[in-house]
């Protein structure tokens, strides 16, 4: 008797070995890989990501261009305003160095109005009863108005002070008001507010988009009865874990990409000195994002399992949508003690605590405590969501309520 050798091609044997390795992997890991691969090879997902990156880069580029741009402004002055107009030209750069004013002398009011009408001058400065007036054709130039107002005020105060025998410095002594914060750095307030808005928006956008897609995929599998075949092969908790982890990984990749593009772009603007200070809060935001997203993703999966048709998703996801709106507007509008309290309340803390970290004045233990509470909430949500998901997923007789899903038999 002769022994037959395996004559199959090498590629076939390699495929068999790869299949054997995949069969040894946990089911949840296989589902996670399927979720990630199916999305990153989807053209709409890739196009959406590229467009968002382009929008972020374009906005930052436009902001950098605006910061370095100097406005060329032509100011018409009649003979009785020539001295004040020259003062605006000389002292204006001290008020706003991005506004460059040049003068055009006119003989009278009619000549000034004619220049404005013909767009040969941007504004006309002239004295009126009780002060000065800056006339434009149809719309106000805020930058020019600020410069002219500051210079005119300074010149008039100097003249009034000279008439009373004191200097301008003596006249203005003690009249300035500086701003400051009990906690945090006042100079970073505007940047912190802007970046805080970006954090809140990114969390809301990612949780809504990926959550809806997760719920829709659950409904599609349930409606087509494919989930019954999957349930015969792997435990449903593994299916849920794979879907949640896969979508969390995809959302995290997107958010990290947007954050890197934003920080790199910011380094090319006038705010580049703040980039090192933003790195720490950005890292905290990523940690809070992961914990909060896992909790919400599990809830989105439950919303999908409760529905039997795509049309049912609006009803089953309404409470979750309302929760996300509360998080979004709460993250933007809360301040003071309400903000402090909300920064420890899951899942709102996922967006509120990173904003507090940005503003400064947060003790080292506060983010750790808030993150621990959020992680505990996520664990509780996963536990309850896994039970609801398993008990509702295979029920196809119509929309399932939370009470029915919780109390139904395995």
């Amino acid at each position: 008797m002769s022994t037959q050798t395996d004559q199959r091609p090498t590629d076939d044997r390699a495929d068999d070995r790869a299949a054997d390795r995949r069969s040894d992997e946990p089911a949840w890991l296989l589902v996670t890989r399927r979720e990630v691969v199916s999305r990153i090879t989807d053209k709409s997902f890739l196009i959406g990501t590229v467009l968002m990156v382009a929008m972020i880069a374009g906005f930052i580029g436009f902001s950098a261009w605006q910061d370095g741009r100097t406005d060329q402004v032509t100011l018409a002055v009649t003979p009785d305003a020539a001295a004040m107009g020259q003062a605006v030209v000389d002292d204006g750069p001290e008020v706003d160095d991005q506004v460059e004013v040049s003068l055009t002398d006119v003989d009278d009011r009619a000549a000034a109005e004619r220049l404005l009408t013909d767009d040969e001058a941007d504004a006309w400065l002239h004295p009126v009863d009780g002060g000065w007036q800056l006339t434009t054709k149809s719309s106000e130039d805020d930058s020019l108005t600020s410069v002219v107002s500051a210079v005119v005020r300074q010149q008039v105060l100097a003249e009034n002070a000279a008439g009373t025998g004191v200097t301008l410095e003596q006249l203005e002594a003690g009249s300035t008001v500086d701003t400051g914060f009990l906690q945090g750095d006042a100079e970073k307030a505007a940047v912190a507010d802007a970046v805080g808005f970006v954090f809140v928006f990114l969390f809301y956008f990612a949780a809504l988009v990926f959550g809806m897609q997760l719920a829709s995929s659950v409904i599609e599998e349930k409606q087509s009865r494919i989930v019954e075949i999957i349930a015969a092969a792997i435990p449903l908790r593994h299916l849920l874990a794979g879907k949640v982890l896969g979508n969390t990984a995809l959302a995290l990749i997107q958010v990290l990409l947007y954050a890197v593009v934003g920080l790199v772009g910011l380094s090319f603007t006038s705010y580049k000195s703040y980039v090192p200070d933003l790195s720490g809060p950005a890292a905290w935001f990523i940690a809070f994002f992961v914990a909060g997203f896992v909790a919400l993703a599990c809830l989105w999966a439950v919303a999908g399992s409760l529905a039997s048709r795509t049309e049912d998703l609006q009803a089953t996801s309404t409470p979750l949508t309302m929760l996300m709106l509360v998080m979004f507007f709460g993250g933007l509008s809360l301040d003071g003690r309400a903000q402090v309290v909300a920064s420890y309340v899951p899942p709102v803390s996922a967006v509120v605590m990173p904003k507090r970290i940005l503003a400064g004045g947060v003790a080292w233990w506060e983010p750790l405590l808030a993150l621990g509470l959020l992680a505990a909430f996520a664990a509780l949500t996963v536990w309850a969501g896994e039970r609801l998901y398993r008990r509702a997923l295979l029920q196809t007789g119509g929309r399932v309520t939370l009470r029915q899903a919780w109390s139904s038999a395995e």
Side-chain angles (χ1 to χ4, degrees):
M1 180 180 295
S2 62
T3 303
Q4 295 181 348
T5 59
D6 190 356
Q7 300 295 326
R8 292 183 303 164
T10 303
D11 291 344
D12 290 345
R13 292 197 298 271
D15 291 341
D16 289 344
R17 288 193 296 270
D20 292 339
R21 287 195 297 270
R22 287 195 296 267
S23 64
D24 295 335
E25 293 178 343
W28 61 266
L29 185 57
L30 293 173
V31 178
T32 300
R33 180 184 293 111
R34 184 195 67 173
E35 291 288 322
V36 173
V37 172
S38 64
R39 290 298 305 280
I40 62 176
T41 55
D42 182 42
K43 289 184 178 180
S44 60
F45 174 78
L46 297 176
I47 292 174
T49 302
V50 172
L51 287 177
M52 181 63 76
V53 170
M55 289 175 59
I56 295 173
F59 176 77
I60 294 177
F62 178 77
S63 300
W65 175 75
Q66 283 286 86
D67 288 340
R69 179 172 170 264
T70 300
D71 292 332
Q72 305 284 339
V73 180
T74 301
L75 184 65
V77 292
T78 48
D80 54 356
M84 185 63 75
Q86 189 59 47
V88 171
V89 173
D90 296 337
D91 300 337
E94 299 179 5
V95 179
D96 189 345
D97 59 1
Q98 293 183 338
V99 178
E100 183 177 335
V101 181
S102 59
L103 296 182
T104 296
D105 295 321
V106 294
D107 295 330
D108 51 27
R109 179 187 186 93
E113 292 178 348
R114 185 166 56 253
L115 289 181
L116 291 179
T117 303
D118 296 339
D119 293 326
E120 296 181 8
D122 297 295
W124 166 38
L125 180 64
H126 57 101
V128 295
D129 293 338
W132 292 79
Q133 182 173 334
L134 187 66
T135 303
T136 55
K137 180 179 179 180
S138 59
S139 61
E140 180 180 357
D141 187 331
D142 294 335
S143 299
L144 178 61
T145 300
S146 299
V147 170
V148 172
S149 299
V151 173
V152 168
R153 179 181 180 277
Q154 185 179 26
Q155 293 296 314
V156 172
L157 283 178
E159 293 175 2
N160 293 341
T164 58
V166 298
T167 64
L168 178 61
E169 289 75 14
Q170 292 173 327
L171 186 65
E172 292 184 329
S175 64
T176 58
V177 178
D178 294 328
T179 59
F181 294 99
L182 183 62
Q183 294 181 339
D185 188 344
E187 296 180 355
K188 300 178 182 177
V191 176
D193 286 342
V195 177
F197 172 81
V198 172
F199 283 174
V200 175
F201 176 78
L202 281 179
F203 187 96
Y204 175 79
F205 177 80
L208 183 63
V209 171
F210 284 94
M212 288 293 293
Q213 292 173 348
L214 173 58
S216 297
S217 69
V218 172
I219 295 175
E220 290 174 2
E221 293 174 352
K222 182 176 181 179
Q223 192 171 7
S224 63
R225 312 300 287 268
I226 294 178
V227 69
E228 298 177 7
I229 301 175
I230 298 176
I234 64 173
L236 291 181
R237 59 172 55 91
H238 283 239
L239 178 61
L240 173 63
K243 285 184 172 294
V244 171
L245 291 176
N247 282 273
T248 300
L250 288 166
L252 181 60
I253 291 172
Q254 270 200 347
V255 169
L256 284 173
L257 178 61
Y258 300 154
V260 169
V261 172
L263 290 175
V264 172
L266 202 63
S267 65
F268 291 96
T269 69
S270 58
Y271 301 103
K272 59 184 178 181
S273 60
Y274 294 107
V275 172
D277 297 327
L278 293 176
S279 301
W284 276 112
F285 167 71
I286 295 300
F288 278 90
F289 175 85
V290 171
F293 187 89
V294 167
L296 293 178
C298 190
L299 294 179
W300 276 111
V302 171
S305 68
L306 295 175
S308 294
R309 302 176 306 160
T310 304
E311 293 80 3
D312 297 332
L313 181 58
Q314 183 176 0
T316 59
S317 64
T318 295
L320 185 54
T321 304
M322 297 300 296
L323 173 62
M324 292 186 58
L325 287 175
V326 170
M327 293 179 62
F328 180 74
F329 289 107
L332 295 181
S333 60
L334 290 178
D335 57 9
R337 185 164 296 277
Q339 186 186 58
V340 174
V341 173
S343 66
Y344 298 104
V345 180
V348 183
S349 57
V351 294
V352 177
M353 181 55 80
K355 281 195 65 177
R356 286 191 60 207
I357 297 173
L358 274 170
V362 178
W364 65 268
W365 55 267
E366 293 185 75
L368 293 176
L369 175 60
L371 185 59
L373 293 174
L374 182 60
F377 172 80
L380 179 62
T381 303
V382 169
W383 171 78
E386 184 265 344
R387 171 171 174 153
L388 292 169
Y389 177 83
R390 283 189 294 107
R391 299 187 176 196
L393 190 61
L394 298 180
Q395 298 187 36
T396 57
R399 196 171 68 213
V400 184
T401 65
L402 286 174
R403 183 188 297 273
Q404 292 172 339
W406 186 262
S407 59
S408 64
E410 293 287 346

